[in-house]
Amino acid sequence: MRNYLTKMKSGRYLLSSIRVEARFWLVLLIGFAVIVGISADSMIRLHSILIQDRQDEVRHLLESGYSVLTHFQQLELEGKLTRDQAQEAARSAVRDMHYGEHNYFFIWDLNGKSIAHGGNIHYEGRTFIGTPDSVQEPVVSYMVSQLLAVASSPQHEGYSRYQIPKAGSTVPLDKIAYSKLFVPWQWSIGTGAYVDDINTSFRNRVVTRARTVLILLILAGLVTYLIGNDVAAATRRLSRNVERIARGELDRDVPGVERADELGDMARAVLVLRDTSREVVELRHDPLTGLAMRKLLNDHLNLTRFQSARNGYYNGLILIDMDRFKLLNDTHGHDAGDLLLKEVARRLTHNTRKGDTVARLGGDEFVVIAVDLATDEATALRSLEHIGQKLVRVLGEVYQLGSISHVSHASIGITLFRDESMAGDELLKQADLALYKAKQDGRNTFRFFDPDLESKIRRRNQMERELHSAIAMGQMELHYQPQVDDRGNIIGAEALVRWRHPERGMISPAQFIPMAEETGLIVPIGEWVLEEACDQLVNWSQRPDMNHLVVAVNVSAKQMFDEQFVEKVRNIVLCSGANPAHLKLELTESVLVKNIGEVKAKMDQLKQFGMAFSLDDFGTGYASLTYLKQLPFDQIKMDGSFVVDVLKDERSAAIARLMIDLARVLKLEVVAEGIETVEQHACLRGMGCSIFQGYLFSKPVRPDMFFQHLDGFRQAGAAQG
Ligand code: C2E
Ligand code: MG
Ligand code: MG
């Protein structure tokens, strides 16, 4: 069975290796050969039947001649005739027996002498073979020799064939004779019939048959040519176009869709294929950069995984994120952003190898699959490191976006892979973790994925889940860090949130605030902080020695852009009964970059309500002065980094002095935060700074501890005063 199947398959293969047009001609040729074969066979059969009939006829007729001899011999035996009389009578009787147009009897004796001849009486008495004086007529001699051979055969009778002209002609023609030895007289009697008529009619039939076959063949050839040519031409056209479509010319027409036959079906299928390819291409390629998009990336990634499982080569998955892309979009518009993305795409394509895949995942996130790096891990890692360095370098070069010169850097996460064990999205996740690390390590760099990082991230995710329930579980605390004036009096406090985690202990806001911002949890946390601070203000307002304190609350971008921010703040303050004039909101630049108009509107409304604003971490951002110019701040907070450096380096000192002067000119308060030493305090005080905050005075503390510090300072202040 299997043998049969293989045979069938190889037969089908053989057939499909011949072109359709050639196949038509082959069928035609085989048909021709078969028809010719069958015709020839039937003609030959017919010919032999006709000859056979003629032979039977001759044999049958001979019997009548033979019976004449028997008759006269009988008369001799009865004594009615002598032998000579009997033989003479028989001769003349036989000579006169004719039938048909050319048929007669003849008698020869065994010496080759003609006894009687119905066709040519002149032969009679003459000898044609045997003796030296025999008549030299080769045609007749041959005939006689044939007849005598039959006579001397064991049966004494039989057929012979020879050629002899008809009477009155010289052209020898085929003749069949039947002869038999009349033993008593030793005479061979025979008769014959020409077969030329059979041959002629046979030839005519052959010619007619051949002509019919030829006409049929020409017709079949013509039809074959027309059908074959149509099919072959349509197939050629279709395959030419399919090839072009496959090469990406997706606006090609598909010829033959109007046909009703199978080729039409095929053409319509190709049309559907072309249209889906078009959709797929549109889905797979980013119209802006022309790079592959997620779907295509996944396909390539899977392909690379399967291939590398077979060829043993290591590959790299590289995830790239451009820094400050949002900022560029927000400040210079989307056109500039688009130009940057295009340029990044160009630099990536130019700096990777031909077989590598470069894709854009959306936003400013790009991916490169660097394939076939090496078969050993160390070499593969080295080349990935090389690629990472190169990409960081070229992506960090200045971008000329129209009239803008823009500086941007890339953070890059890389992971190495070789087989199918890791799914495509798991690999992407690994590269993403590495990218996260690159960002944490100061950006403008690349990092490899390592499993340790993964566990750190897992812990982070766990923390994120726990943060959700932290407020409800009462794990949030608000600590206060005093702010003192130049005479050492505490004039207020900054409220700083803390998370008292049941297992991890006190978690600093630097650890969980960014996470809270990412997840949006900062909104409920910020509200809790404000409520808590207001309650504290109300509490302090009831103490004459503390009712002057102003509490500063930090506000993050997410809160500020909450649509109901102003409403919520007002409600919280009003509900608590706190005096809005004793509340100050600290904004950092990250709040301001987005939509300065909206921020200004909200600040105006809250200022009307009685609250004040402070610009936090002043001097660390890119556009501090712009914000200062456009927004109604009451205070600036000089960032702790300037305070640290104020004694160490002159430039920082100059900048610090400038900030203080600027604040004076703009009629703003200036707070120096992060004061840790007496020297820093003295230096800044000397420059004209009037408000201070830092560990030198107090760390952020619980409100119940605040009293003790307050008392401590009052004593210190009194001593100074
Ligand atoms: P920030 O608003 O600039 O707060 C000042 C930070 O400096 C606080 O860190 C404070 O503990 C620290 N600090 C004060 N004096 C000194 C000093 O002498 N030396 C040093 N090295 N540090 C000092 P903290 O409490 O860890 O807060 C970090 C940041 O978290 C804050 O920076 C603020 O941006 C954010 N944050 C804290 N609480 C909240 C909050 O309730 N809401 C929001 N949105 N952000 C908050
Ligand atoms: Mg602050
Ligand atoms: Mg600050």
Side-chain angles (χ1 to χ4, degrees):
M1 184 68 189
R2 184 185 297 163
N3 240 350
Y4 174 70
L5 277 179
T6 3
K7 263 188 215 156
M8 217 166 73
K9 265 188 211 156
S10 66
R12 217 179 292 149
Y13 173 74
L14 193 73
L15 196 66
S16 64
S17 68
I18 306 172
R19 298 185 70 84
V20 174
E21 212 177 351
R23 247 187 270 176
F24 272 108
W25 288 111
L26 192 69
V27 168
L28 192 69
L29 208 70
I30 293 171
F32 174 70
V34 169
I35 289 173
V36 167
I38 290 174
S39 299
D41 182 60
S42 73
M43 295 309 279
I44 288 166
R45 229 177 265 241
L46 179 71
H47 188 254
S48 66
I49 287 170
L50 289 175
I51 294 285
Q52 186 64 50
D53 283 355
R54 188 66 44 103
Q55 282 179 344
D56 290 348
E57 194 186 338
V58 171
R59 184 177 184 167
H60 186 68
L61 277 169
L62 179 75
E63 290 309 319
S64 56
Y66 194 84
S67 65
V68 170
L69 295 190
T70 322
H71 170 70
F72 285 106
Q73 198 231 351
Q74 187 61 38
L75 291 181
E76 181 203 339
L77 289 178
E78 287 169 5
K80 290 179 184 163
L81 292 175
T82 64
R83 169 166 286 209
D84 283 347
Q85 284 171 329
Q87 286 188 336
E88 191 48 47
R91 278 174 66 192
S92 79
V94 167
R95 185 189 300 125
D96 294 339
M97 286 171 76
H98 282 89
Y99 59 95
E101 208 182 328
H102 294 287
N103 305 318
Y104 47 85
F105 288 86
F106 44 78
I107 300 171
W108 298 83
D109 71 8
L110 296 182
N111 297 320
K113 188 171 97 186
S114 173
I115 304 294
H117 202 284
N120 196 337
I121 197 159
H122 304 297
Y123 288 170
E124 288 183 12
R126 293 159 80 181
T127 303
F128 283 84
I129 53 165
T131 55
D133 56 341
S134 60
V135 181
Q136 290 303 307
E137 231 179 279
V139 176
V140 183
S141 307
Y142 177 74
M143 175 190 79
V144 175
S145 70
Q146 292 287 81
L147 294 174
L148 295 188
V150 171
S152 51
S153 72
Q155 298 85 22
H156 302 304
E157 60 181 308
Y159 290 103
S160 37
R161 287 189 77 157
Y162 48 85
Q163 288 194 318
I164 202 136
K166 283 183 180 171
S169 156
T170 51
V171 184
L173 294 170
D174 269 345
K175 195 167 188 177
I176 295 174
Y178 196 82
S179 57
K180 189 172 179 180
L181 183 68
F182 185 64
V183 180
W185 296 344
Q186 289 290 294
W187 283 2
S188 167
I189 178 167
T191 183
Y194 284 100
V195 291
D196 62 315
D197 59 328
I198 293 180
N199 286 346
T200 314
S201 95
F202 177 73
R203 216 171 293 127
N204 288 345
R205 277 181 192 225
V206 167
V207 169
T208 321
R209 183 73 66 92
R211 206 179 291 147
T212 316
V213 167
L214 202 70
I215 291 173
L216 281 177
L217 274 173
I218 290 174
L219 280 178
L222 203 69
V223 171
T224 305
Y225 172 76
L226 288 177
I227 296 177
N229 194 46
D230 174 55
V231 169
T235 315
R236 266 197 302 272
R237 268 199 305 277
L238 192 61
S239 60
R240 238 194 336 264
N241 278 271
V242 169
E243 210 176 293
R244 290 198 178 134
I245 289 170
R247 261 193 262 118
E249 295 177 32
L250 293 179
D251 43 1
R252 279 266 149 206
D253 275 339
V254 180
V257 282
E258 70 290 344
R259 293 177 72 113
D261 58 2
E262 289 87 339
L263 280 167
D265 291 344
M266 197 150 94
R268 283 184 289 279
V270 169
L271 189 73
V272 173
L273 190 72
R274 185 203 66 185
D275 290 348
T276 11
S277 309
R278 233 188 239 169
E279 279 170 31
V280 167
V281 165
E282 278 157 14
L283 267 179
R284 288 176 164 217
H285 287 94
D286 172 25
L288 178 67
T289 59
L291 294 183
M293 296 210 303
R294 192 175 287 272
K295 176 79 186 68
L296 193 59
L297 173 80
N298 283 341
D299 290 353
H300 285 200
L301 192 54
N302 285 334
L303 196 71
T304 311
R305 284 166 54 233
F306 301 146
Q307 268 171 357
S308 66
R310 256 179 285 130
N311 66 19
Y313 271 85
Y314 278 97
N315 311 282
L317 185 67
I318 304 171
L319 193 61
I320 299 140
D321 184 276
M322 297 306 295
D323 294 343
R324 303 208 292 141
F325 176 68
K326 264 186 73 154
L327 186 69
L328 173 77
N329 253 346
D330 291 341
T331 47
H332 292 288
H334 287 277
D335 288 348
D338 285 355
L339 284 176
L340 178 88
L341 294 177
K342 275 194 206 171
E343 178 58 17
V344 169
R346 196 193 64 80
R347 290 184 193 181
L348 284 176
T349 318
H350 275 245
N351 287 282
T352 45
R353 284 190 302 176
K354 238 190 163 148
D356 295 349
T357 299
V358 181
R360 182 177 162 221
L361 284 189
D364 57 338
E365 236 181 15
F366 293 85
V367 177
V368 173
I369 309 174
V371 298
D372 296 348
L373 297 168
T375 47
D376 72 299
E377 195 175 8
T379 316
L381 272 173
R382 254 200 312 284
S383 20
L384 270 181
E385 203 168 356
H386 182 72
I387 297 172
Q389 280 162 352
K390 184 161 77 172
L391 293 185
V392 166
R393 192 183 65 243
V394 297
L395 294 177
E397 282 163 12
V398 175
Y399 292 82
Q400 195 59 48
L401 312 174
S403 56
I404 311 157
S405 283
H406 179 73
V407 179
S408 182
H409 294 111
S411 300
I412 296 178
I414 304 176
T415 190
L416 189 72
F417 68 98
R418 178 153 77 159
D419 47 30
E420 299 160 64
S421 59
M422 198 69 82
D425 30 332
E426 276 178 76
L427 289 173
L428 272 170
K429 223 183 276 168
Q430 290 187 348
D432 196 38
L433 292 179
L435 175 66
Y436 176 79
K437 187 148 180 263
K439 283 184 180 173
Q440 276 200 327
D441 292 356
R443 301 168 181 262
N444 193 18
T445 185
F446 66 93
R447 286 290 177 270
F448 280 101
F449 165 78
D450 75 288
D452 285 355
L453 183 66
E454 200 179 17
S455 68
K456 267 186 223 157
I457 298 296
R458 214 173 284 131
R459 247 178 293 149
R460 198 187 105 98
N461 291 345
Q462 160 93 12
M463 194 159 117
E464 195 178 298
R465 277 196 298 279
E466 290 167 347
L467 185 62
H468 274 271
S469 48
I471 301 176
M473 310 267 285
Q475 292 169 358
M476 289 292 166
E477 284 181 13
L478 202 56
H479 288 202
Y480 297 86
Q481 187 175 33
Q483 295 179 336
V484 302
D485 65 10
D486 53 355
R487 287 197 303 273
N489 294 320
I490 297 185
I491 53 166
E494 178 175 7
L496 294 159
V497 72
R498 300 285 179 263
W499 179 11
R500 191 180 292 278
H501 191 279
E503 286 138 35
R504 285 177 237 230
M506 201 66 100
I507 302 178
S508 113
Q511 267 178 287
F512 71 87
I513 291 286
M515 186 195 294
E517 279 177 340
E518 271 170 39
T519 55
L521 278 173
I522 191 68
V523 175
I525 291 176
E527 285 169 22
W528 178 85
V529 167
L530 192 63
E531 283 167 12
E532 196 69 16
C534 286
D535 288 348
Q536 197 56 60
L537 265 179
V538 173
N539 196 332
W540 283 339
S541 69
Q542 282 149 17
R543 289 184 50 160
D545 54 342
M546 296 191 76
N547 59 11
H548 66 288
L549 294 181
V550 170
V551 171
V553 171
N554 294 285
V555 173
S556 86
K558 267 267 164 59
Q559 286 173 272
M560 193 73 184
F561 291 105
D562 177 5
E563 269 180 21
Q564 286 141 25
F565 177 68
V566 174
E567 211 48 40
K568 278 179 181 170
V569 171
R570 268 210 210 111
N571 279 345
I572 290 170
V573 177
L574 291 174
C575 281
S576 68
N579 179 359
H582 285 217
L583 270 169
K584 194 183 287 162
L585 298 185
E586 291 192 6
L587 307 182
T588 57
E589 278 191 25
S590 67
V591 177
L592 310 172
V593 287
K594 212 168 167 191
N595 187 342
I596 212 158
E598 187 182 339
V599 174
K600 182 168 169 10
K602 288 181 174 172
M603 282 175 78
D604 284 340
Q605 288 176 51
L606 289 172
K607 276 179 76 89
Q608 261 175 3
F609 182 54
M611 296 168 79
F613 283 90
S614 176
L615 181 51
D616 202 356
D617 304 339
F618 185 74
T620 55
Y622 303 105
S624 311
L625 295 178
T626 313
Y627 303 130
L628 215 51
K629 192 176 99 183
Q630 295 182 18
L631 298 171
F633 280 106
D634 304 279
Q635 184 185 66
I636 55 176
K637 284 187 89 173
M638 183 194 296
D639 191 66
S641 56
F642 295 101
V643 174
V644 171
D645 292 341
V646 79
L647 294 172
K648 290 190 198 152
D649 105 69
E650 273 179 23
R651 292 170 88 90
S652 294
I655 293 172
R657 181 173 293 120
L658 203 69
M659 284 183 198
I660 294 163
D661 290 347
L662 183 75
R664 198 182 23 250
V665 173
L666 295 177
K667 303 203 165 33
L668 300 173
E669 288 178 348
V670 54
V671 183
E673 64 178 332
I675 306 277
E676 290 182 358
T677 65
V678 180
E679 290 78 16
Q680 288 167 350
H681 181 220
C683 175
L684 288 160
R685 201 173 158 195
M687 287 178 181
C689 182
S690 54
I691 309 174
F692 307 91
Q693 178 184 341
Y695 295 168
L696 174 65
F697 311 102
S698 166
K699 289 204 164 182
V701 291
R702 291 210 310 269
D704 51 324
M705 302 282 285
F706 199 79
F707 287 106
Q708 296 170 15
H709 285 270
L710 193 71
D711 289 340
F713 277 114
R714 209 175 277 130
Q715 283 154 21
Q720 259 188 353

